[in-house]
Amino acid sequence: MGLRVGVLASGSGSNLQALLDAASSGRLDARIEVVVSDMPDAFSLERARRAGVAAEVVAWGAAPSREAHDDAVVDVLRRHQVDTVALAGYLRLVTPVLLAAFPGRVLNIHPALLPSFPGLHVQAAALEHGVKFSGCTVHFVDEEMDHGPIVIQAVVPVRDDDTPESLAARILREEHRIYPQALQYLAEGRLRIDGRRVVVDPPSPGSGSLHNPAVKF
Ligand code: GRF
């Protein structure tokens, strides 16, 4: 039995698209049951409709509090019998209401190598800081922003001529690879959370060291 995924997305939804594509091609053992957006005109809703997936709006500001907003989101997710929640460009900090409804089953993707550069405008922040690598992180969600246990990270080099946009595009290509993979590990029952660490069992180590600029020693 594959995952029954609800995706929360505020924006363009390219990560949602990567999940839809991975699920429909069979690489990801999951069904995207519903896409929920806080933004009625989000392109992610259109992507859902095109894929024949339910698209629902829980408009931001309609509920009296963040908790009441999440109550409404949980209602939608439950109605679609979701067992896993993937935040994909979701601009809202989720509350314990949502986390308690899906304990250990809420994931997020962030376009930086956490714990560096949490929050917004992170590509500009990475360039300003002068880091030589950035990347992206899939992590379990906890009550703090961009904070929970890390499932997978991908690293990309930062180039001297990068703009926030060129760096974001390089990172996004990796986001589209690691998010389906993280969910597939979950689908296979291979993820165990041990404090801050996520153990993949059996282990599946990635490739070796990276240097930027090159190292000749
Ligand atoms: C991605 O960079 C994601 O990591 C961040 O917001 C962006 C959303 O892009 N949380 P998209 O809507 O998936 O295209």
Coordinates of all heavy atoms in Angstrom, one line a residue, residues 57-141:
V57 N -8.9 25.0 -1.6 CA -8.4 26.3 -1.0 C -8.9 26.4 0.4 O -10.1 26.2 0.7 CB -8.9 27.5 -1.9 CG1 -8.4 28.8 -1.2 CG2 -8.4 27.4 -3.3
V58 N -7.9 26.6 1.3 CA -8.3 27.1 2.6 C -7.6 28.5 2.7 O -6.4 28.6 3.0 CB -7.7 26.1 3.7 CG1 -8.1 26.7 5.1 CG2 -8.3 24.7 3.5
A59 N -8.4 29.5 2.4 CA -7.9 30.8 2.2 C -7.3 31.4 3.5 O -7.9 31.3 4.6 CB -9.0 31.8 1.7
W60 N -6.1 31.9 3.3 CA -5.4 32.6 4.5 C -6.2 33.8 4.9 O -6.6 34.6 4.1 CB -4.0 32.9 4.1 CG -3.2 33.4 5.3 CD1 -2.8 34.7 5.5 CD2 -2.8 32.6 6.4 NE1 -2.1 34.7 6.7 CE2 -2.1 33.5 7.3 CE3 -3.0 31.3 6.8 CZ2 -1.6 33.1 8.5 CZ3 -2.5 30.9 8.0 CH2 -1.8 31.7 8.8
G61 N -6.4 33.9 6.2 CA -7.1 35.1 6.7 C -8.6 34.8 7.0 O -9.2 35.6 7.7
A62 N -9.1 33.7 6.5 CA -10.5 33.4 6.7 C -10.8 32.9 8.1 O -11.9 33.2 8.6 CB -11.0 32.4 5.6
A63 N -9.8 32.2 8.7 CA -10.0 31.7 10.0 C -9.4 32.7 11.0 O -8.6 33.5 10.7 CB -9.2 30.4 10.1
P64 N -10.0 32.7 12.3 CA -9.6 33.7 13.3 C -8.2 33.5 13.8 O -7.6 34.4 14.5 CB -10.6 33.5 14.4 CG -11.2 32.1 14.2 CD -11.1 31.8 12.7
S65 N -7.5 32.3 13.6 CA -6.2 32.1 14.2 C -5.5 31.1 13.3 O -6.1 30.4 12.5 CB -6.3 31.6 15.6 OG -6.9 30.3 15.6
R66 N -4.2 31.0 13.5 CA -3.4 30.0 12.7 C -3.9 28.6 13.1 O -3.9 27.7 12.2 CB -1.9 30.1 13.1 CG -1.3 31.4 12.4 CD 0.1 31.6 12.9 NE 1.0 30.5 12.8 CZ 1.8 30.0 13.7 NH1 1.9 30.6 14.9 NH2 2.5 28.9 13.5
E67 N -4.2 28.4 14.3 CA -4.7 27.0 14.8 C -6.0 26.7 14.1 O -6.2 25.6 13.6 CB -4.9 27.0 16.3 CG -3.6 26.9 17.1 CD -2.9 28.3 17.1 OE1 -3.5 29.3 16.8 OE2 -1.7 28.3 17.5
A68 N -6.9 27.7 14.0 CA -8.2 27.5 13.4 C -8.0 27.2 11.9 O -8.7 26.4 11.3 CB -9.1 28.7 13.6
H69 N -7.0 27.9 11.3 CA -6.7 27.7 9.9 C -6.3 26.2 9.7 O -6.8 25.5 8.8 CB -5.6 28.6 9.4 CG -5.2 28.5 8.0 ND1 -5.8 29.2 6.9 CD2 -4.3 27.7 7.4 CE1 -5.3 28.8 5.8 NE2 -4.4 27.9 6.0
D70 N -5.4 25.8 10.6 CA -4.9 24.4 10.4 C -6.0 23.4 10.7 O -6.0 22.3 10.1 CB -3.7 24.2 11.4 CG -2.4 24.6 10.8 OD1 -2.4 25.1 9.6 OD2 -1.3 24.5 11.4
D71 N -6.9 23.7 11.6 CA -8.1 22.8 11.8 C -8.8 22.6 10.5 O -9.2 21.5 10.2 CB -9.1 23.5 12.8 CG -9.0 23.0 14.2 OD1 -8.6 21.8 14.3 OD2 -9.2 23.8 15.1
A72 N -9.0 23.7 9.7 CA -9.7 23.6 8.5 C -8.9 22.7 7.5 O -9.4 21.9 6.7 CB -10.0 25.0 7.9
V73 N -7.6 22.9 7.5 CA -6.7 22.2 6.6 C -6.7 20.7 7.0 O -6.9 19.8 6.1 CB -5.2 22.7 6.7 CG1 -4.3 21.8 5.9 CG2 -5.1 24.1 6.1
V74 N -6.7 20.4 8.3 CA -6.7 19.0 8.7 C -8.1 18.3 8.3 O -8.1 17.2 7.8 CB -6.5 18.9 10.3 CG1 -6.9 17.5 10.8 CG2 -5.1 19.3 10.6
D75 N -9.2 19.1 8.4 CA -10.5 18.6 7.9 C -10.4 18.1 6.5 O -10.8 17.0 6.1 CB -11.5 19.6 8.0 CG -12.1 19.8 9.4 OD1 -11.7 18.9 10.3 OD2 -12.8 20.7 9.7
V76 N -9.8 19.0 5.6 CA -9.7 18.6 4.2 C -8.8 17.4 4.0 O -9.2 16.4 3.3 CB -9.1 19.8 3.4 CG1 -8.8 19.4 1.9 CG2 -10.0 21.0 3.4
L77 N -7.7 17.3 4.7 CA -6.7 16.2 4.6 C -7.4 14.9 5.0 O -7.3 13.9 4.4 CB -5.5 16.5 5.3 CG -4.6 17.7 4.9 CD1 -3.5 18.0 5.8 CD2 -4.0 17.4 3.5
R78 N -8.2 15.0 6.1 CA -8.8 13.8 6.7 C -9.9 13.3 5.7 O -10.1 12.1 5.5 CB -9.5 14.1 8.0 CG -8.4 14.3 9.1 CD -8.9 13.5 10.4 NE -7.7 13.4 11.3 CZ -7.6 14.1 12.4 NH1 -8.5 15.0 12.7 NH2 -6.6 13.9 13.2
R79 N -10.6 14.3 5.1 CA -11.7 13.9 4.1 C -11.1 13.1 3.0 O -11.7 12.3 2.4 CB -12.3 15.2 3.6 CG -13.6 15.1 2.9 CD -14.6 16.2 3.0 NE -14.0 17.6 3.2 CZ -13.5 18.3 2.2 NH1 -13.5 17.8 1.0 NH2 -13.1 19.5 2.4
H80 N -9.8 13.4 2.6 CA -9.2 12.7 1.5 C -8.3 11.5 2.0 O -7.6 11.0 1.3 CB -8.3 13.7 0.7 CG -9.2 14.6 -0.1 ND1 -9.7 14.3 -1.3 CD2 -9.6 15.9 0.2 CE1 -10.4 15.4 -1.8 NE2 -10.4 16.3 -0.8
Q81 N -8.5 11.2 3.3 CA -7.8 10.0 3.9 C -6.3 10.0 3.7 O -5.7 9.0 3.4 CB -8.5 8.7 3.4 CG -9.9 8.7 3.8 CD -10.6 7.5 3.3 OE1 -10.1 6.7 2.5 NE2 -11.8 7.2 3.8
V82 N -5.8 11.2 3.9 CA -4.3 11.4 3.7 C -3.6 10.8 4.9 O -4.1 10.8 6.0 CB -4.1 12.9 3.6 CG1 -2.7 13.3 4.0 CG2 -4.4 13.4 2.2
D83 N -2.4 10.1 4.7 CA -1.6 9.7 5.8 C -0.3 10.4 5.9 O 0.5 10.2 6.8 CB -1.4 8.1 5.8 CG -0.8 7.6 4.5 OD1 0.1 8.3 3.9 OD2 -1.2 6.6 4.0
T84 N 0.1 11.2 4.9 CA 1.3 11.9 4.8 C 1.1 13.2 4.3 O 0.4 13.4 3.3 CB 2.3 11.1 3.9 OG1 2.4 9.7 4.4 CG2 3.7 11.7 3.8
V85 N 1.8 14.2 4.8 CA 1.6 15.6 4.4 C 2.9 16.2 3.9 O 4.0 16.1 4.6 CB 1.1 16.5 5.5 CG1 0.8 17.9 5.1 CG2 -0.2 15.9 6.1
A86 N 3.0 16.7 2.7 CA 4.2 17.2 2.1 C 4.0 18.7 1.9 O 3.1 19.1 1.1 CB 4.5 16.5 0.8
L87 N 4.8 19.5 2.6 CA 4.7 21.0 2.4 C 5.7 21.3 1.2 O 6.8 20.8 1.2 CB 5.2 21.8 3.6 CG 4.7 21.4 5.0 CD1 5.2 22.4 6.0 CD2 3.2 21.3 5.0
A88 N 5.1 22.0 0.2 CA 5.9 22.2 -1.0 C 5.7 23.7 -1.4 O 4.8 24.0 -2.1 CB 5.5 21.3 -2.1
G89 N 6.6 24.5 -0.9 CA 6.5 25.9 -1.2 C 5.3 26.5 -0.4 O 4.5 27.3 -0.9
Y90 N 5.1 26.0 0.8 CA 3.9 26.4 1.6 C 4.4 27.5 2.5 O 5.4 27.3 3.3 CB 3.4 25.2 2.4 CG 2.1 25.5 3.2 CD1 1.0 25.9 2.5 CD2 2.0 25.3 4.5 CE1 -0.2 26.1 3.2 CE2 0.8 25.5 5.2 CZ -0.3 25.9 4.5 OH -1.5 26.1 5.2
L91 N 3.8 28.7 2.4 CA 4.4 29.9 3.1 C 4.0 30.0 4.6 O 4.4 31.0 5.2 CB 4.0 31.1 2.3 CG 4.7 31.2 0.9 CD1 4.2 32.4 0.2 CD2 6.2 31.3 1.1
R92 N 3.1 29.1 5.0 CA 2.7 29.3 6.4 C 3.4 28.3 7.4 O 3.7 27.2 7.0 CB 1.2 28.9 6.5 CG 0.3 29.6 5.5 CD 0.3 31.1 5.7 NE -0.2 31.8 4.5 CZ 0.0 33.1 4.3 NH1 0.5 33.9 5.2 NH2 -0.5 33.7 3.2
L93 N 3.7 28.9 8.5 CA 4.3 28.0 9.6 C 3.1 27.2 10.2 O 2.1 27.7 10.6 CB 4.8 29.0 10.7 CG 5.7 28.4 11.8 CD1 6.9 27.6 11.2 CD2 6.1 29.5 12.7
V94 N 3.3 25.9 10.1 CA 2.2 25.0 10.6 C 2.2 25.0 12.1 O 3.2 25.2 12.8 CB 2.2 23.6 10.0 CG1 2.1 23.6 8.5 CG2 3.4 22.8 10.5
T95 N 1.0 24.7 12.7 CA 0.9 24.7 14.1 C 0.8 23.3 14.7 O 0.7 22.3 13.9 CB -0.5 25.4 14.5 OG1 -1.5 24.6 14.1 CG2 -0.6 26.8 13.9
P96 N 0.9 23.1 16.0 CA 0.7 21.8 16.6 C -0.6 21.1 16.2 O -0.7 19.9 16.3 CB 0.8 22.1 18.1 CG 1.6 23.3 18.2 CD 1.2 24.1 17.0
V97 N -1.6 21.9 15.8 CA -2.9 21.3 15.4 C -2.6 20.3 14.2 O -3.1 19.1 14.2 CB -3.9 22.3 15.0 CG1 -5.1 21.8 14.3 CG2 -4.3 23.2 16.2
L98 N -1.9 20.7 13.2 CA -1.6 19.9 12.1 C -0.6 18.8 12.4 O -0.8 17.6 12.0 CB -1.1 20.7 10.9 CG -0.9 19.9 9.6 CD1 -1.8 20.5 8.5 CD2 0.5 19.9 9.1
L99 N 0.4 19.1 13.2 CA 1.4 18.1 13.6 C 0.8 17.0 14.4 O 1.2 15.8 14.2 CB 2.6 18.8 14.3 CG 3.3 19.9 13.5 CD1 4.4 20.6 14.3 CD2 4.0 19.3 12.2
A100 N -0.1 17.4 15.3 CA -0.7 16.3 16.1 C -1.6 15.4 15.3 O -1.8 14.2 15.7 CB -1.5 17.0 17.3
A101 N -2.2 15.9 14.2 CA -3.1 15.1 13.4 C -2.3 14.1 12.6 O -2.8 13.1 12.2 CB -3.9 16.0 12.5
F102 N -1.0 14.4 12.3 CA -0.2 13.6 11.4 C 1.2 13.4 12.0 O 2.2 13.8 11.5 CB -0.1 14.1 10.0 CG -1.4 14.3 9.3 CD1 -2.1 15.5 9.3 CD2 -2.0 13.2 8.7 CE1 -3.3 15.6 8.7 CE2 -3.3 13.3 8.1 CZ -3.9 14.5 8.1
P103 N 1.3 12.8 13.2 CA 2.5 12.8 13.9 C 3.6 12.0 13.1 O 3.4 10.9 12.7 CB 2.2 12.0 15.3 CG 0.9 11.5 15.1 CD 0.2 12.1 13.9
G104 N 4.8 12.7 13.0 CA 5.9 12.0 12.3 C 5.6 11.9 10.8 O 6.4 11.1 10.1
R105 N 4.6 12.5 10.3 CA 4.3 12.3 8.9 C 4.2 13.6 8.1 O 3.5 13.6 7.0 CB 2.9 11.6 8.8 CG 2.8 10.3 9.5 CD 3.6 9.2 9.0 NE 3.2 8.7 7.7 CZ 3.6 7.6 7.1 NH1 4.5 6.9 7.7 NH2 3.2 7.3 5.9
V106 N 4.8 14.6 8.6 CA 4.8 15.9 7.9 C 6.2 16.3 7.4 O 7.1 16.3 8.2 CB 4.2 17.1 8.7 CG1 4.1 18.4 7.9 CG2 2.8 16.7 9.3
L107 N 6.4 16.5 6.1 CA 7.7 16.8 5.6 C 7.7 18.1 4.9 O 6.6 18.6 4.5 CB 8.1 15.7 4.6 CG 8.4 14.4 5.2 CD1 7.7 13.3 4.5 CD2 9.9 14.1 5.2
N108 N 8.9 18.7 4.8 CA 9.0 20.0 4.1 C 10.3 20.0 3.3 O 11.2 19.2 3.6 CB 9.1 21.1 5.2 CG 9.3 22.5 4.5 OD1 8.5 22.8 3.6 ND2 10.2 23.3 5.0
I109 N 10.3 20.8 2.2 CA 11.5 21.0 1.5 C 11.9 22.5 1.6 O 11.1 23.4 1.5 CB 11.4 20.6 0.0 CG1 12.7 20.7 -0.7 CG2 10.3 21.4 -0.7 CD1 13.0 19.6 -1.6
H110 N 13.3 22.7 1.8 CA 13.8 24.0 2.0 C 15.0 24.2 1.1 O 15.9 23.4 1.0 CB 14.2 24.2 3.5 CG 14.7 25.6 3.8 ND1 13.9 26.7 3.9 CD2 16.0 26.0 3.9 CE1 14.7 27.7 4.1 NE2 15.9 27.4 4.1
P111 N 15.1 25.4 0.4 CA 16.1 25.6 -0.6 C 17.5 26.1 0.0 O 18.1 27.1 -0.5 CB 15.5 26.6 -1.5 CG 14.6 27.4 -0.7 CD 14.1 26.5 0.4
A112 N 17.9 25.5 1.1 CA 19.3 25.7 1.6 C 19.7 24.5 2.4 O 18.9 23.6 2.7 CB 19.3 27.0 2.5
L113 N 21.0 24.5 2.8 CA 21.5 23.4 3.6 C 21.3 23.7 5.1 O 22.1 24.3 5.7 CB 23.0 23.2 3.3 CG 23.3 22.7 1.9 CD1 24.8 22.7 1.7 CD2 22.7 21.3 1.7
L114 N 20.1 23.3 5.6 CA 19.8 23.6 7.0 C 20.9 22.9 7.9 O 21.4 21.9 7.5 CB 18.4 23.1 7.3 CG 17.3 23.8 6.6 CD1 15.9 23.1 6.9 CD2 17.2 25.3 7.1
P115 N 21.2 23.5 9.0 CA 20.5 24.7 9.7 C 21.0 26.0 9.1 O 20.6 27.0 9.7 CB 20.9 24.5 11.1 CG 22.2 23.8 11.1 CD 22.2 22.9 9.9
S116 N 21.8 26.1 8.1 CA 22.2 27.4 7.5 C 20.9 27.9 6.7 O 20.3 27.2 6.0 CB 23.3 27.3 6.5 OG 24.5 27.0 7.2
F117 N 20.8 29.2 6.8 CA 19.8 29.9 6.0 C 18.4 29.4 6.1 O 17.8 29.0 5.1 CB 20.3 30.0 4.6 CG 21.7 30.5 4.4 CD1 22.7 29.7 3.9 CD2 22.0 31.8 4.9 CE1 24.0 30.1 3.8 CE2 23.3 32.2 4.8 CZ 24.3 31.4 4.3
P118 N 17.8 29.3 7.3 CA 16.3 29.1 7.4 C 15.6 30.3 6.9 O 16.2 31.4 6.7 CB 16.1 28.8 8.9 CG 17.2 29.6 9.5 CD 18.4 29.6 8.6
G119 N 14.3 30.2 6.7 CA 13.4 31.4 6.4 C 13.3 31.7 4.9 O 13.4 30.8 4.1
L120 N 13.1 32.9 4.6 CA 12.9 33.4 3.3 C 14.1 34.0 2.6 O 15.1 34.3 3.3 CB 11.7 34.4 3.2 CG 10.4 33.8 3.6 CD1 9.3 34.9 3.7 CD2 9.9 32.7 2.7
H121 N 14.1 34.2 1.3 CA 15.2 34.9 0.6 C 16.5 34.2 0.8 O 17.6 34.9 1.0 CB 15.2 36.4 0.9 CG 13.8 37.0 0.9 ND1 13.1 37.0 -0.3 CD2 13.1 37.6 1.8 CE1 11.9 37.6 -0.1 NE2 11.9 37.9 1.2
V122 N 16.6 32.9 0.9 CA 17.8 32.3 1.4 C 18.9 32.2 0.3 O 20.0 32.1 0.7 CB 17.4 30.8 1.9 CG1 16.5 30.9 3.1 CG2 16.8 30.0 0.8
Q123 N 18.5 32.3 -1.0 CA 19.5 32.2 -2.0 C 20.3 33.5 -1.9 O 21.6 33.5 -2.0 CB 18.9 32.0 -3.4 CG 18.3 30.6 -3.5 CD 16.8 30.6 -3.1 OE1 16.3 31.6 -2.6 NE2 16.2 29.5 -3.3
A124 N 19.6 34.7 -1.8 CA 20.3 35.9 -1.6 C 21.2 35.9 -0.4 O 22.3 36.4 -0.4 CB 19.3 37.1 -1.6
A125 N 20.7 35.4 0.7 CA 21.4 35.3 1.9 C 22.7 34.5 1.8 O 23.8 34.8 2.3 CB 20.6 34.8 3.1
A126 N 22.6 33.4 1.0 CA 23.7 32.5 0.8 C 24.8 33.2 0.0 O 26.0 33.2 0.3 CB 23.3 31.2 0.1
L127 N 24.4 33.9 -1.1 CA 25.3 34.7 -1.9 C 26.0 35.8 -1.1 O 27.2 36.0 -1.1 CB 24.6 35.3 -3.1 CG 24.1 34.4 -4.2 CD1 23.4 35.2 -5.3 CD2 25.3 33.7 -4.8
E128 N 25.2 36.5 -0.3 CA 25.7 37.6 0.6 C 26.8 37.0 1.5 O 27.8 37.7 1.8 CB 24.6 38.2 1.4 CG 24.4 39.7 1.0 CD 23.0 40.1 1.6 OE1 22.8 40.0 2.8 OE2 22.1 40.4 0.7
H129 N 26.5 35.9 2.1 CA 27.4 35.3 3.0 C 28.7 34.8 2.4 O 29.7 34.6 3.0 CB 26.8 34.2 3.8 CG 27.5 33.8 5.1 ND1 27.2 34.4 6.3 CD2 28.5 33.0 5.3 CE1 28.1 34.0 7.2 NE2 28.9 33.1 6.6
G130 N 28.6 34.5 1.1 CA 29.8 34.0 0.3 C 30.1 32.5 0.5 O 31.2 32.1 0.3
V131 N 29.0 31.8 0.8 CA 29.3 30.3 0.9 C 29.6 29.7 -0.5 O 29.2 30.3 -1.5 CB 28.0 29.6 1.5 CG1 27.8 29.9 3.0 CG2 26.8 29.8 0.7
K132 N 30.4 28.7 -0.5 CA 30.8 28.1 -1.8 C 29.9 27.0 -2.2 O 29.9 26.5 -3.3 CB 32.2 27.5 -1.6 CG 33.3 28.6 -1.3 CD 33.4 29.6 -2.4 CE 34.5 30.6 -2.2 NZ 34.4 31.8 -3.1
F133 N 29.1 26.5 -1.3 CA 28.1 25.5 -1.6 C 26.7 25.9 -1.0 O 26.7 26.5 0.1 CB 28.4 24.1 -1.1 CG 29.5 23.4 -1.8 CD1 30.8 23.4 -1.2 CD2 29.3 22.8 -3.0 CE1 31.9 22.8 -1.9 CE2 30.4 22.2 -3.7 CZ 31.6 22.2 -3.1
S134 N 25.7 25.6 -1.7 CA 24.4 25.6 -1.0 C 23.6 24.4 -1.4 O 24.3 23.4 -1.8 CB 23.6 26.9 -1.4 OG 22.4 27.0 -0.6
G135 N 22.3 24.4 -1.4 CA 21.6 23.1 -1.7 C 20.2 23.2 -1.2 O 19.6 24.2 -1.0
C136 N 19.7 22.0 -0.9 CA 18.4 21.9 -0.4 C 18.3 20.7 0.6 O 19.1 19.9 0.7 CB 17.4 21.7 -1.5 SG 17.9 20.5 -2.8
T137 N 17.2 20.8 1.4 CA 17.0 19.9 2.5 C 15.5 19.4 2.6 O 14.6 20.3 2.5 CB 17.3 20.7 3.8 OG1 18.6 21.2 3.8 CG2 17.1 19.7 5.0
V138 N 15.3 18.1 2.7 CA 14.0 17.6 3.0 C 14.1 17.2 4.5 O 15.0 16.5 4.9 CB 13.6 16.4 2.2 CG1 12.3 15.8 2.7 CG2 13.6 16.7 0.7
H139 N 13.1 17.7 5.3 CA 13.2 17.4 6.7 C 11.7 17.2 7.2 O 10.8 17.7 6.6 CB 13.8 18.6 7.5 CG 13.1 19.9 7.4 ND1 12.2 20.3 8.4 CD2 13.1 20.9 6.5 CE1 11.7 21.5 8.0 NE2 12.2 21.8 6.9
F140 N 11.7 16.4 8.3 CA 10.4 16.3 9.0 C 10.1 17.7 9.7 O 11.0 18.4 10.1 CB 10.5 15.2 10.1 CG 10.4 13.8 9.5 CD1 11.6 13.1 9.4 CD2 9.2 13.3 9.1 CE1 11.5 11.8 8.8 CE2 9.1 12.0 8.6 CZ 10.3 11.3 8.4
V141 N 8.9 18.0 9.8 CA 8.5 19.3 10.3 C 8.2 19.2 11.8 O 7.6 18.2 12.2 CB 7.2 19.8 9.6 CG1 6.7 21.1 10.2 CG2 7.5 20.0 8.1

